[in-house]
Amino acid sequence: MVRLISLYNQPDDPAAFDAHYRDVHAPIVRRYPNLRGMRLTRADGIGGRPAAYYLMAEMTFDSRADLDEALVSDPGRESGRDLRNFAAAGVTLFVADDENATDG
Amino acid sequence: MVRLISLYNQPDDPAAFDAHYRDVHAPIVRRYPNLRGMRLTRADGIGGRPAAYYLMAEMTFDSRADLDEALVSDPGRESGRDLRNFAAAGVTLFVADDENATDG
């Protein structure tokens, strides 16, 4: 399994962010070819401090090749362009490939 | 399930980071009370760019209360102090609680 992980910074207007994510962005992502699953988690802080991120999105694929194909697909490019519409506060993306994972 | 997620910035000396993580830090984390699992994933970049982070550590617990108990335990405090010994490049921590997650 391979995960595309998107970490969204705290938005200025969380309600507007949530509405756009739910009504516009998530439906685009659901059209990614090869997508096996999508999990959204509101991040929590530690020790009374706010979380470093607002939201974590984990999109799962069977392989890195499947993920790369999704990113260059029409919905992949559309979701990239859509970031400017709601994620002005910033987003950090990386890939977590089980091929490069160990259970510690 | 609740995950404590630690995202480590790219270290100046990856080999030294890896050795310290494996030989010193991970053994401390394995002593956390209530720890259900620990997964380490070397992050990969997207589109030919280097990953935003070097390593993601995911520590799983049954509940947020179990996680909080682990963090204030002796190994929890010891692992926090140990960060200065190998993670000078920086680390970002947050909590992903399935209670705050939805499958998109």
Side-chain angles (χ1 to χ4, degrees):
Chain A
M1 193 181 82
V2 178
R3 282 176 287 168
L4 171 62
I5 298 182
S6 300
L7 299 165
Y8 291 92
N9 291 342
Q10 179 74 35
D12 289 337
D13 183 343
F17 178 100
D18 291 348
H20 189 99
Y21 201 99
R22 181 187 65 237
D23 298 335
V24 180
H25 197 73
I28 299 170
V29 174
R30 277 187 217 109
R31 289 168 34 225
Y32 280 5
N34 313 316
L35 183 71
R36 294 297 181 199
M38 180 183 184
R39 168 150 278 218
L40 305 173
T41 309
R42 189 69 56 84
D44 293 318
I46 296 167
R49 292 183 298 277
Y53 293 106
Y54 177 68
L55 180 75
M56 173 170 62
E58 296 169 283
M59 282 72 71
T60 54
F61 299 85
D62 288 338
S63 69
R64 176 68 201 240
D66 276 3
L67 185 160
D68 287 339
E69 193 174 85
L71 288 178
V72 298
S73 69
D74 284 347
R77 293 181 188 283
E78 189 179 345
S79 65
R81 287 191 301 270
D82 184 52
L83 290 174
R84 73 185 65 162
N85 298 321
F86 73 105
V91 59
T92 300
L93 295 98
F94 66 92
V95 173
D97 187 336
D98 281 353
E99 295 275 322
N100 299 320
T102 54
D103 288 309
Chain B
M1 193 180 84
V2 178
R3 282 175 287 168
L4 170 62
I5 298 182
S6 301
L7 299 164
Y8 291 91
N9 291 342
Q10 180 74 35
D12 289 336
D13 183 343
F17 178 100
D18 291 348
H20 189 98
Y21 201 99
R22 181 188 64 236
D23 298 335
V24 179
H25 197 72
I28 298 170
V29 174
R30 277 188 218 109
R31 289 169 32 225
Y32 280 8
N34 313 318
L35 184 71
R36 293 297 181 201
M38 179 184 185
R39 168 151 279 219
L40 305 172
T41 309
R42 188 69 56 84
D44 294 318
I46 296 167
R49 292 184 298 277
Y53 292 106
Y54 177 68
L55 180 75
M56 173 169 62
E58 296 169 283
M59 282 71 71
T60 54
F61 300 85
D62 288 339
S63 69
R64 177 66 201 240
D66 277 3
L67 186 160
D68 287 339
E69 193 174 86
L71 289 178
V72 298
S73 69
D74 285 346
R77 294 182 187 283
E78 188 179 345
S79 65
R81 287 192 300 271
D82 184 52
L83 291 174
R84 74 186 64 164
N85 298 321
F86 73 105
V91 59
T92 299
L93 295 98
F94 66 92
V95 173
D97 187 336
D98 281 353
E99 295 275 322
N100 299 321
T102 54
D103 288 309

